[in-house]
Amino acid sequence: MKQFKEIHAQLVVKSLSHPSPSLRPIISFSALDPSGEINYALLLLLFRTSLASSVFLFNTVIRGLARVIHGRPGFGWSSLLVLNRMAELNLAPNNFTFTFLFQGFSNCCAFDLGRQFHGMLIKKSLVMDVFVRNSVIQFYSVCGEMNSARRVFDQSDEIDIVSWNSIINGYVRNGDMSEALNLFDKMPKRNDVSWNSVLGGLVKFSFLDDAYRLFMEIPRRTLVSWVVMISGYAQNGRPKEALALFRSMLSMDQEANSAILVSVLSACAQLGALEHGNWVYSYIQKKHVIIDSILSAALIDMYAKCGTIDLAMQVFNSSKVKCVSTYTTAIYGLAMNGRSKEALQLFDHLRAGGISPDSISYIAVLSACSHEGWVDRGFHYFNSMLDAGIRPELDHYACMVDLLGRAGLLEEAEQLIISMPIKPDSAIWGALLGACRVHANAEMGRRVGNLLIQSDKNHDGRYILLSNIYAESMKGEDAEEVRRTMRKRKIKRVPGCSLIEVDGVVHEFLAGDKSHEKTEDIYRVWDEVVKEIKKLGYIAETRKVAFNIEEEEKETLIGYHSEKLAVAFGLICTEPGSLIRIVKNIRICNDCHSAIKLVSKVFKRKISVRDRKRYHHFEDGQCSCMDYW
Ligand code: ZN
Ligand code: ZN
């Protein structure tokens, strides 16, 4: 643009200014080139055009304006100036003018103005070609006016595949999947855009099974459709399906792009599937996929969540481009693996290195403090947020309440909640309730718990916590009452579930699960394990787990929590001396924690268990969390 202006200045100085032929490339470049300046084009158009100018110039500028002002207001005003100048020069707008105009109205959601122009088109009986009509349909869809969009669509005598795609995409955008599918079925001919738009809609609104059926019908699957489907599974908590689809994609010789790899790594992280994750990393290296900051963050996250924090840090250290999310992922990973000191060092390093931490970085650093019970440091970072110009949000308060609560400072935690400038949500009260139970404060627990089951009626965990608090303070009847309410409201408990990957296959266990093909061996081995660890003083603790299971389940299940079964399976199926890695969806209970500590000592195994909050690395009778979790 700078050189462009220099040349333009030469034209002016040499009095060669603005014969129409030289204006045209200047305006085209300024209006449409990514490095151009649209305002320069606009000024030239408004002040340097003459009667000899062509409509093409004006259309070019409107087209440029429509693109540049994407999402920003102001298009309406500038486009009116252009149209006004056209009128001064007696130039009539043509179909291209209107197509670009409506694209601009869509991009900046200028509903009133767009509707007036549509009205004018009808009133003046201007012939709308298919391009104008499609841009009008698109315009109404974007503005959420599906009835108007549909009327234009239905009343058109000439519609093409773009019209179909625009109207269907409009229904998808506005959340009306049944009408979108209805029209999709009626389409005379479909292209990639049609398939991907409906597929994307089904995934977006979590109709994953329907999406998969549609996906299987696609005659020619594009890379985009693979991305949509695989990331749909990964982001909706169905990591196993994401991995399966990824494998079938590779078997069809379809190369993965970086978006797919990010989703697949997230699926590996959710499952704790290290072998898969390693394989993806070697695929990335083999195919020379460029590791940008998003992909490197996904790799760090995967290794950290698989409990291999050293590998995560290797990826971190070798990343050429580090952005704030690369750091944040590493800080979070260190914290969850019990290496909070390094997490804080890395955070300080980030700040010193001139990258400003964002709101999520503070969540990572606060959770590091919370894992260790570092109250003062937690407050130090919490208070420094405001200095950095970041307003604490609900998540930050939740970390602080968790930190105070776990450190036993229940009064302070409650005070912090009351003094919050934003309305506390149930997650924050839930953190306090959890702390009340750990520190056996029945009085506060009752107050907070009753408040919670009134406001957050469908969350199973609240009822169970409250009923446990009652039970543990010898109020058996109140505990029973809470469980009755829970049953009455038909609230299902999310079952605890543990995953373990052996030879690339992920095995899944529920508490008291008898569905695995090796069930007999697993139970036999676990019973033997219990005999062994009892010699070291293990006493099955039933106080805390007594009500963790549903009524109809038998007492005997207490001893067979899912992570215990997974450990037994690990002992059977992995090499002696090798690491056993388990992923659990809810927090590990006291009983499992102390049992697994002893297993690591007796059987000389390193065992790592990732629960909902953090990693427990068990070794030689100790846990990396130092029994603080
Ligand atoms: Zn347990
Ligand atoms: Zn632990």
mmCIF file of all heavy atoms in Angstrom, residues 393-438:
data_model
loop_
_atom_site.group_PDB
_atom_site.id
_atom_site.type_symbol
_atom_site.label_atom_id
_atom_site.label_comp_id
_atom_site.label_asym_id
_atom_site.label_seq_id
_atom_site.Cartn_x
_atom_site.Cartn_y
_atom_site.Cartn_z
ATOM 1 N N GLU A 393 -13.150 -14.004 37.304
ATOM 2 C CA GLU A 393 -14.462 -14.522 36.929
ATOM 3 C C GLU A 393 -14.838 -15.668 37.863
ATOM 4 O O GLU A 393 -14.090 -15.997 38.776
ATOM 5 C CB GLU A 393 -14.432 -15.004 35.482
ATOM 6 C CG GLU A 393 -14.289 -13.867 34.486
ATOM 7 C CD GLU A 393 -13.729 -14.333 33.164
ATOM 8 O OE1 GLU A 393 -14.025 -15.484 32.785
ATOM 9 O OE2 GLU A 393 -12.995 -13.564 32.517
ATOM 10 N N LEU A 394 -15.990 -16.288 37.576
ATOM 11 C CA LEU A 394 -16.482 -17.354 38.451
ATOM 12 C C LEU A 394 -15.423 -18.436 38.683
ATOM 13 O O LEU A 394 -15.222 -18.896 39.801
ATOM 14 C CB LEU A 394 -17.737 -17.981 37.835
ATOM 15 C CG LEU A 394 -19.005 -17.126 37.980
ATOM 16 C CD1 LEU A 394 -20.127 -17.724 37.152
ATOM 17 C CD2 LEU A 394 -19.421 -16.997 39.429
ATOM 18 N N ASP A 395 -14.737 -18.840 37.603
ATOM 19 C CA ASP A 395 -13.756 -19.919 37.731
ATOM 20 C C ASP A 395 -12.633 -19.563 38.699
ATOM 21 O O ASP A 395 -12.132 -20.418 39.427
ATOM 22 C CB ASP A 395 -13.151 -20.253 36.366
ATOM 23 C CG ASP A 395 -14.148 -21.002 35.499
ATOM 24 O OD1 ASP A 395 -15.079 -21.595 36.075
ATOM 25 O OD2 ASP A 395 -13.994 -20.976 34.275
ATOM 26 N N HIS A 396 -12.228 -18.298 38.676
ATOM 27 C CA HIS A 396 -11.149 -17.898 39.585
ATOM 28 C C HIS A 396 -11.628 -17.941 41.033
ATOM 29 O O HIS A 396 -10.912 -18.396 41.922
ATOM 30 C CB HIS A 396 -10.663 -16.492 39.244
ATOM 31 C CG HIS A 396 -10.184 -16.373 37.829
ATOM 32 N ND1 HIS A 396 -10.962 -15.819 36.841
ATOM 33 C CD2 HIS A 396 -9.044 -16.773 37.237
ATOM 34 C CE1 HIS A 396 -10.299 -15.867 35.698
ATOM 35 N NE2 HIS A 396 -9.133 -16.455 35.904
ATOM 36 N N TYR A 397 -12.853 -17.466 41.263
ATOM 37 C CA TYR A 397 -13.395 -17.539 42.606
ATOM 38 C C TYR A 397 -13.541 -18.994 43.051
ATOM 39 O O TYR A 397 -13.280 -19.339 44.196
ATOM 40 C CB TYR A 397 -14.741 -16.812 42.699
ATOM 41 C CG TYR A 397 -14.582 -15.319 42.799
ATOM 42 C CD1 TYR A 397 -14.757 -14.499 41.693
ATOM 43 C CD2 TYR A 397 -14.223 -14.722 44.007
ATOM 44 C CE1 TYR A 397 -14.589 -13.133 41.773
ATOM 45 C CE2 TYR A 397 -14.058 -13.349 44.109
ATOM 46 C CZ TYR A 397 -14.236 -12.557 42.988
ATOM 47 O OH TYR A 397 -14.061 -11.207 43.077
ATOM 48 N N ALA A 398 -13.961 -19.855 42.105
ATOM 49 C CA ALA A 398 -14.117 -21.271 42.456
ATOM 50 C C ALA A 398 -12.771 -21.848 42.902
ATOM 51 O O ALA A 398 -12.700 -22.599 43.873
ATOM 52 C CB ALA A 398 -14.664 -22.057 41.265
ATOM 53 N N CYS A 399 -11.684 -21.480 42.217
ATOM 54 C CA CYS A 399 -10.351 -21.948 42.623
ATOM 55 C C CYS A 399 -10.025 -21.473 44.025
ATOM 56 O O CYS A 399 -9.500 -22.227 44.850
ATOM 57 C CB CYS A 399 -9.274 -21.398 41.679
ATOM 58 S SG CYS A 399 -9.181 -22.234 40.115
ATOM 59 N N MET A 400 -10.327 -20.200 44.300
ATOM 60 C CA MET A 400 -9.988 -19.642 45.615
ATOM 61 C C MET A 400 -10.800 -20.307 46.721
ATOM 62 O O MET A 400 -10.285 -20.587 47.799
ATOM 63 C CB MET A 400 -10.227 -18.125 45.630
ATOM 64 C CG MET A 400 -9.240 -17.336 44.807
ATOM 65 S SD MET A 400 -7.521 -17.710 45.185
ATOM 66 C CE MET A 400 -7.322 -16.953 46.796
ATOM 67 N N VAL A 401 -12.092 -20.541 46.455
ATOM 68 C CA VAL A 401 -12.933 -21.186 47.461
ATOM 69 C C VAL A 401 -12.435 -22.608 47.704
ATOM 70 O O VAL A 401 -12.342 -23.073 48.848
ATOM 71 C CB VAL A 401 -14.410 -21.198 47.007
ATOM 72 C CG1 VAL A 401 -15.256 -22.081 47.901
ATOM 73 C CG2 VAL A 401 -14.956 -19.786 46.990
ATOM 74 N N ASP A 402 -12.049 -23.271 46.624
ATOM 75 C CA ASP A 402 -11.501 -24.612 46.719
ATOM 76 C C ASP A 402 -10.226 -24.598 47.570
ATOM 77 O O ASP A 402 -10.036 -25.426 48.461
ATOM 78 C CB ASP A 402 -11.185 -25.087 45.295
ATOM 79 C CG ASP A 402 -10.998 -26.577 45.223
ATOM 80 O OD1 ASP A 402 -11.833 -27.285 45.805
ATOM 81 O OD2 ASP A 402 -10.018 -27.020 44.611
ATOM 82 N N LEU A 403 -9.372 -23.632 47.279
ATOM 83 C CA LEU A 403 -8.100 -23.494 48.001
ATOM 84 C C LEU A 403 -8.327 -23.280 49.493
ATOM 85 O O LEU A 403 -7.769 -23.988 50.333
ATOM 86 C CB LEU A 403 -7.323 -22.318 47.389
ATOM 87 C CG LEU A 403 -6.099 -21.777 48.117
ATOM 88 C CD1 LEU A 403 -5.065 -22.870 48.287
ATOM 89 C CD2 LEU A 403 -5.499 -20.628 47.335
ATOM 90 N N LEU A 404 -9.182 -22.308 49.820
ATOM 91 C CA LEU A 404 -9.454 -22.012 51.231
ATOM 92 C C LEU A 404 -10.143 -23.194 51.901
ATOM 93 O O LEU A 404 -9.797 -23.597 53.013
ATOM 94 C CB LEU A 404 -10.337 -20.765 51.338
ATOM 95 C CG LEU A 404 -9.663 -19.445 50.979
ATOM 96 C CD1 LEU A 404 -10.705 -18.345 50.821
ATOM 97 C CD2 LEU A 404 -8.646 -19.065 52.043
ATOM 98 N N GLY A 405 -11.135 -23.744 51.197
ATOM 99 C CA GLY A 405 -11.922 -24.826 51.768
ATOM 100 C C GLY A 405 -11.069 -26.041 52.070
ATOM 101 O O GLY A 405 -11.150 -26.628 53.148
ATOM 102 N N ARG A 406 -10.210 -26.398 51.109
ATOM 103 C CA ARG A 406 -9.409 -27.589 51.339
ATOM 104 C C ARG A 406 -8.388 -27.374 52.441
ATOM 105 O O ARG A 406 -8.002 -28.308 53.129
ATOM 106 C CB ARG A 406 -8.720 -27.986 50.047
ATOM 107 C CG ARG A 406 -9.726 -28.620 49.110
ATOM 108 C CD ARG A 406 -9.075 -29.609 48.253
ATOM 109 N NE ARG A 406 -8.876 -29.052 46.933
ATOM 110 C CZ ARG A 406 -8.067 -29.600 46.047
ATOM 111 N NH1 ARG A 406 -7.378 -30.658 46.371
ATOM 112 N NH2 ARG A 406 -7.952 -29.072 44.863
ATOM 113 N N ALA A 407 -7.942 -26.113 52.598
ATOM 114 C CA ALA A 407 -6.997 -25.824 53.670
ATOM 115 C C ALA A 407 -7.714 -25.723 55.008
ATOM 116 O O ALA A 407 -7.104 -25.408 56.026
ATOM 117 C CB ALA A 407 -6.244 -24.540 53.357
ATOM 118 N N GLY A 408 -9.030 -25.945 55.015
ATOM 119 C CA GLY A 408 -9.779 -25.942 56.270
ATOM 120 C C GLY A 408 -10.252 -24.568 56.696
ATOM 121 O O GLY A 408 -10.812 -24.411 57.777
ATOM 122 N N LEU A 409 -10.031 -23.547 55.863
ATOM 123 C CA LEU A 409 -10.452 -22.188 56.222
ATOM 124 C C LEU A 409 -11.874 -21.951 55.715
ATOM 125 O O LEU A 409 -12.113 -21.159 54.799
ATOM 126 C CB LEU A 409 -9.487 -21.168 55.631
ATOM 127 C CG LEU A 409 -8.029 -21.344 56.064
ATOM 128 C CD1 LEU A 409 -7.094 -20.510 55.212
ATOM 129 C CD2 LEU A 409 -7.871 -20.987 57.537
ATOM 130 N N LEU A 410 -12.835 -22.666 56.326
ATOM 131 C CA LEU A 410 -14.197 -22.651 55.805
ATOM 132 C C LEU A 410 -14.867 -21.291 55.947
ATOM 133 O O LEU A 410 -15.560 -20.827 55.046
ATOM 134 C CB LEU A 410 -15.027 -23.729 56.497
ATOM 135 C CG LEU A 410 -14.534 -25.151 56.272
ATOM 136 C CD1 LEU A 410 -15.371 -26.128 57.074
ATOM 137 C CD2 LEU A 410 -14.580 -25.514 54.808
ATOM 138 N N GLU A 411 -14.653 -20.651 57.119
ATOM 139 C CA GLU A 411 -15.272 -19.333 57.328
ATOM 140 C C GLU A 411 -14.785 -18.339 56.276
ATOM 141 O O GLU A 411 -15.560 -17.610 55.674
ATOM 142 C CB GLU A 411 -14.909 -18.786 58.726
ATOM 143 C CG GLU A 411 -15.300 -19.688 59.891
ATOM 144 C CD GLU A 411 -16.807 -19.746 60.071
ATOM 145 O OE1 GLU A 411 -17.481 -18.792 59.637
ATOM 146 O OE2 GLU A 411 -17.298 -20.755 60.621
ATOM 147 N N GLU A 412 -13.466 -18.356 56.055
ATOM 148 C CA GLU A 412 -12.883 -17.431 55.085
ATOM 149 C C GLU A 412 -13.444 -17.696 53.687
ATOM 150 O O GLU A 412 -13.717 -16.762 52.930
ATOM 151 C CB GLU A 412 -11.354 -17.568 55.056
ATOM 152 C CG GLU A 412 -10.643 -16.976 56.255
ATOM 153 C CD GLU A 412 -10.592 -17.915 57.450
ATOM 154 O OE1 GLU A 412 -11.343 -18.928 57.455
ATOM 155 O OE2 GLU A 412 -9.832 -17.647 58.385
ATOM 156 N N ALA A 413 -13.612 -18.979 53.376
ATOM 157 C CA ALA A 413 -14.149 -19.328 52.064
ATOM 158 C C ALA A 413 -15.561 -18.782 51.913
ATOM 159 O O ALA A 413 -15.914 -18.198 50.879
ATOM 160 C CB ALA A 413 -14.149 -20.841 51.885
ATOM 161 N N GLU A 414 -16.365 -18.944 52.955
ATOM 162 C CA GLU A 414 -17.738 -18.460 52.861
ATOM 163 C C GLU A 414 -17.764 -16.929 52.758
ATOM 164 O O GLU A 414 -18.533 -16.364 51.979
ATOM 165 C CB GLU A 414 -18.558 -18.918 54.075
ATOM 166 C CG GLU A 414 -20.050 -18.719 53.840
ATOM 167 C CD GLU A 414 -20.912 -19.179 55.010
ATOM 168 O OE1 GLU A 414 -20.371 -19.335 56.119
ATOM 169 O OE2 GLU A 414 -22.120 -19.368 54.801
ATOM 170 N N GLN A 415 -16.884 -16.278 53.532
ATOM 171 C CA GLN A 415 -16.793 -14.826 53.453
ATOM 172 C C GLN A 415 -16.465 -14.367 52.032
ATOM 173 O O GLN A 415 -17.041 -13.409 51.522
ATOM 174 C CB GLN A 415 -15.702 -14.301 54.414
ATOM 175 C CG GLN A 415 -16.216 -13.988 55.798
ATOM 176 C CD GLN A 415 -17.485 -13.146 55.758
ATOM 177 O OE1 GLN A 415 -17.561 -12.131 55.066
ATOM 178 N NE2 GLN A 415 -18.524 -13.583 56.468
ATOM 179 N N LEU A 416 -15.513 -15.083 51.410
ATOM 180 C CA LEU A 416 -15.105 -14.718 50.040
ATOM 181 C C LEU A 416 -16.298 -14.830 49.091
ATOM 182 O O LEU A 416 -16.532 -13.963 48.253
ATOM 183 C CB LEU A 416 -13.963 -15.619 49.570
ATOM 184 C CG LEU A 416 -13.419 -15.292 48.183
ATOM 185 C CD1 LEU A 416 -12.631 -13.989 48.205
ATOM 186 C CD2 LEU A 416 -12.533 -16.404 47.649
ATOM 187 N N ILE A 417 -17.090 -15.893 49.260
ATOM 188 C CA ILE A 417 -18.256 -16.066 48.386
ATOM 189 C C ILE A 417 -19.232 -14.913 48.573
ATOM 190 O O ILE A 417 -19.738 -14.330 47.614
ATOM 191 C CB ILE A 417 -18.970 -17.403 48.668
ATOM 192 C CG1 ILE A 417 -18.023 -18.575 48.422
ATOM 193 C CG2 ILE A 417 -20.203 -17.538 47.788
ATOM 194 C CD1 ILE A 417 -18.651 -19.928 48.651
ATOM 195 N N ILE A 418 -19.467 -14.565 49.860
ATOM 196 C CA ILE A 418 -20.448 -13.514 50.131
ATOM 197 C C ILE A 418 -19.979 -12.173 49.571
ATOM 198 O O ILE A 418 -20.778 -11.372 49.097
ATOM 199 C CB ILE A 418 -20.708 -13.425 51.661
ATOM 200 C CG1 ILE A 418 -21.425 -14.711 52.103
ATOM 201 C CG2 ILE A 418 -21.558 -12.212 52.018
ATOM 202 C CD1 ILE A 418 -21.481 -14.906 53.583
ATOM 203 N N SER A 419 -18.651 -11.958 49.598
ATOM 204 C CA SER A 419 -18.147 -10.645 49.170
ATOM 205 C C SER A 419 -17.915 -10.554 47.661
ATOM 206 O O SER A 419 -17.472 -9.532 47.158
ATOM 207 C CB SER A 419 -16.837 -10.346 49.892
ATOM 208 O OG SER A 419 -15.845 -11.222 49.401
ATOM 209 N N MET A 420 -18.226 -11.644 46.929
ATOM 210 C CA MET A 420 -17.973 -11.617 45.486
ATOM 211 C C MET A 420 -18.791 -10.543 44.780
ATOM 212 O O MET A 420 -19.975 -10.402 45.061
ATOM 213 C CB MET A 420 -18.371 -12.970 44.859
ATOM 214 C CG MET A 420 -17.326 -14.041 44.963
ATOM 215 S SD MET A 420 -18.014 -15.634 44.438
ATOM 216 C CE MET A 420 -18.372 -15.316 42.721
ATOM 217 N N PRO A 421 -18.170 -9.812 43.842
ATOM 218 C CA PRO A 421 -18.942 -8.797 43.107
ATOM 219 C C PRO A 421 -19.871 -9.408 42.051
ATOM 220 O O PRO A 421 -20.760 -8.741 41.550
ATOM 221 C CB PRO A 421 -17.869 -7.932 42.439
ATOM 222 C CG PRO A 421 -16.670 -8.807 42.359
ATOM 223 C CD PRO A 421 -16.748 -9.768 43.495
ATOM 224 N N ILE A 422 -19.653 -10.678 41.680
ATOM 225 C CA ILE A 422 -20.575 -11.336 40.753
ATOM 226 C C ILE A 422 -21.335 -12.419 41.515
ATOM 227 O O ILE A 422 -20.873 -12.895 42.554
ATOM 228 C CB ILE A 422 -19.843 -11.980 39.545
ATOM 229 C CG1 ILE A 422 -18.486 -12.533 39.985
ATOM 230 C CG2 ILE A 422 -19.703 -11.037 38.395
ATOM 231 C CD1 ILE A 422 -17.716 -13.222 38.901
ATOM 232 N N LYS A 423 -22.474 -12.823 40.968
ATOM 233 C CA LYS A 423 -23.308 -13.795 41.656
ATOM 234 C C LYS A 423 -22.630 -15.165 41.643
ATOM 235 O O LYS A 423 -22.290 -15.676 40.578
ATOM 236 C CB LYS A 423 -24.665 -13.880 40.945
ATOM 237 C CG LYS A 423 -25.714 -14.648 41.714
ATOM 238 C CD LYS A 423 -27.067 -14.504 41.008
ATOM 239 C CE LYS A 423 -28.172 -15.261 41.713
ATOM 240 N NZ LYS A 423 -28.033 -16.706 41.717
ATOM 241 N N PRO A 424 -22.398 -15.760 42.805
ATOM 242 C CA PRO A 424 -21.732 -17.080 42.819
ATOM 243 C C PRO A 424 -22.631 -18.132 42.190
ATOM 244 O O PRO A 424 -23.848 -18.085 42.341
ATOM 245 C CB PRO A 424 -21.532 -17.360 44.313
ATOM 246 C CG PRO A 424 -22.494 -16.484 45.018
ATOM 247 C CD PRO A 424 -22.741 -15.296 44.157
ATOM 248 N N ASP A 425 -22.041 -19.060 41.449
ATOM 249 C CA ASP A 425 -22.859 -20.123 40.857
ATOM 250 C C ASP A 425 -22.795 -21.369 41.734
ATOM 251 O O ASP A 425 -22.111 -21.383 42.766
ATOM 252 C CB ASP A 425 -22.411 -20.412 39.421
ATOM 253 C CG ASP A 425 -21.011 -20.973 39.375
ATOM 254 O OD1 ASP A 425 -20.357 -21.048 40.434
ATOM 255 O OD2 ASP A 425 -20.561 -21.339 38.274
ATOM 256 N N SER A 426 -23.489 -22.402 41.313
ATOM 257 C CA SER A 426 -23.578 -23.560 42.192
ATOM 258 C C SER A 426 -22.246 -24.310 42.270
ATOM 259 O O SER A 426 -21.987 -25.000 43.250
ATOM 260 C CB SER A 426 -24.693 -24.487 41.722
ATOM 261 O OG SER A 426 -24.491 -24.815 40.386
ATOM 262 N N ALA A 427 -21.370 -24.142 41.262
ATOM 263 C CA ALA A 427 -20.071 -24.818 41.332
ATOM 264 C C ALA A 427 -19.273 -24.274 42.509
ATOM 265 O O ALA A 427 -18.547 -25.016 43.185
ATOM 266 C CB ALA A 427 -19.309 -24.613 40.033
ATOM 267 N N ILE A 428 -19.408 -22.984 42.761
ATOM 268 C CA ILE A 428 -18.648 -22.373 43.859
ATOM 269 C C ILE A 428 -19.180 -22.851 45.208
ATOM 270 O O ILE A 428 -18.418 -23.261 46.078
ATOM 271 C CB ILE A 428 -18.729 -20.835 43.735
ATOM 272 C CG1 ILE A 428 -17.897 -20.426 42.525
ATOM 273 C CG2 ILE A 428 -18.244 -20.156 45.005
ATOM 274 C CD1 ILE A 428 -17.843 -18.962 42.264
ATOM 275 N N TRP A 429 -20.506 -22.844 45.362
ATOM 276 C CA TRP A 429 -21.079 -23.379 46.601
ATOM 277 C C TRP A 429 -20.742 -24.868 46.720
ATOM 278 O O TRP A 429 -20.507 -25.378 47.809
ATOM 279 C CB TRP A 429 -22.600 -23.179 46.625
ATOM 280 C CG TRP A 429 -23.023 -21.763 46.863
ATOM 281 C CD1 TRP A 429 -23.623 -20.934 45.963
ATOM 282 C CD2 TRP A 429 -22.878 -21.000 48.063
ATOM 283 N NE1 TRP A 429 -23.861 -19.704 46.529
ATOM 284 C CE2 TRP A 429 -23.426 -19.715 47.819
ATOM 285 C CE3 TRP A 429 -22.348 -21.271 49.331
ATOM 286 C CZ2 TRP A 429 -23.456 -18.710 48.788
ATOM 287 C CZ3 TRP A 429 -22.378 -20.265 50.288
ATOM 288 C CH2 TRP A 429 -22.926 -19.003 50.016
ATOM 289 N N GLY A 430 -20.712 -25.559 45.600
ATOM 290 C CA GLY A 430 -20.377 -26.983 45.604
ATOM 291 C C GLY A 430 -18.976 -27.230 46.134
ATOM 292 O O GLY A 430 -18.733 -28.184 46.867
ATOM 293 N N ALA A 431 -18.028 -26.338 45.762
ATOM 294 C CA ALA A 431 -16.658 -26.477 46.259
ATOM 295 C C ALA A 431 -16.649 -26.335 47.777
ATOM 296 O O ALA A 431 -15.954 -27.072 48.493
ATOM 297 C CB ALA A 431 -15.762 -25.427 45.614
ATOM 298 N N LEU A 432 -17.448 -25.378 48.281
ATOM 299 C CA LEU A 432 -17.505 -25.182 49.734
ATOM 300 C C LEU A 432 -18.145 -26.390 50.412
ATOM 301 O O LEU A 432 -17.683 -26.848 51.462
ATOM 302 C CB LEU A 432 -18.304 -23.908 50.051
ATOM 303 C CG LEU A 432 -18.378 -23.523 51.524
ATOM 304 C CD1 LEU A 432 -16.984 -23.315 52.108
ATOM 305 C CD2 LEU A 432 -19.215 -22.264 51.722
ATOM 306 N N LEU A 433 -19.172 -26.941 49.775
ATOM 307 C CA LEU A 433 -19.840 -28.108 50.352
ATOM 308 C C LEU A 433 -18.868 -29.284 50.472
ATOM 309 O O LEU A 433 -18.810 -29.974 51.499
ATOM 310 C CB LEU A 433 -21.039 -28.499 49.477
ATOM 311 C CG LEU A 433 -21.880 -29.678 49.971
ATOM 312 C CD1 LEU A 433 -22.509 -29.357 51.316
ATOM 313 C CD2 LEU A 433 -22.962 -30.032 48.956
ATOM 314 N N GLY A 434 -18.071 -29.478 49.411
ATOM 315 C CA GLY A 434 -17.070 -30.548 49.446
ATOM 316 C C GLY A 434 -16.117 -30.355 50.615
ATOM 317 O O GLY A 434 -15.784 -31.302 51.337
ATOM 318 N N ALA A 435 -15.709 -29.098 50.822
ATOM 319 C CA ALA A 435 -14.775 -28.797 51.908
ATOM 320 C C ALA A 435 -15.427 -29.042 53.266
ATOM 321 O O ALA A 435 -14.785 -29.527 54.199
ATOM 322 C CB ALA A 435 -14.304 -27.355 51.805
ATOM 323 N N CYS A 436 -16.722 -28.730 53.373
ATOM 324 C CA CYS A 436 -17.430 -28.955 54.638
ATOM 325 C C CYS A 436 -17.367 -30.433 55.013
ATOM 326 O O CYS A 436 -17.214 -30.796 56.168
ATOM 327 C CB CYS A 436 -18.901 -28.559 54.518
ATOM 328 S SG CYS A 436 -19.166 -26.803 54.412
ATOM 329 N N ARG A 437 -17.479 -31.284 53.999
ATOM 330 C CA ARG A 437 -17.467 -32.706 54.299
ATOM 331 C C ARG A 437 -16.078 -33.151 54.737
ATOM 332 O O ARG A 437 -15.930 -33.823 55.751
ATOM 333 C CB ARG A 437 -17.896 -33.510 53.080
ATOM 334 C CG ARG A 437 -17.874 -34.974 53.399
ATOM 335 C CD ARG A 437 -18.263 -35.826 52.237
ATOM 336 N NE ARG A 437 -18.157 -37.226 52.636
ATOM 337 C CZ ARG A 437 -17.943 -38.192 51.782
ATOM 338 N NH1 ARG A 437 -17.812 -37.932 50.505
ATOM 339 N NH2 ARG A 437 -17.857 -39.429 52.206
ATOM 340 N N VAL A 438 -15.063 -32.742 53.972
ATOM 341 C CA VAL A 438 -13.698 -33.150 54.307
ATOM 342 C C VAL A 438 -13.337 -32.703 55.722
ATOM 343 O O VAL A 438 -12.713 -33.432 56.484
ATOM 344 C CB VAL A 438 -12.701 -32.564 53.280
ATOM 345 C CG1 VAL A 438 -11.266 -32.839 53.705
ATOM 346 C CG2 VAL A 438 -12.962 -33.153 51.905
#
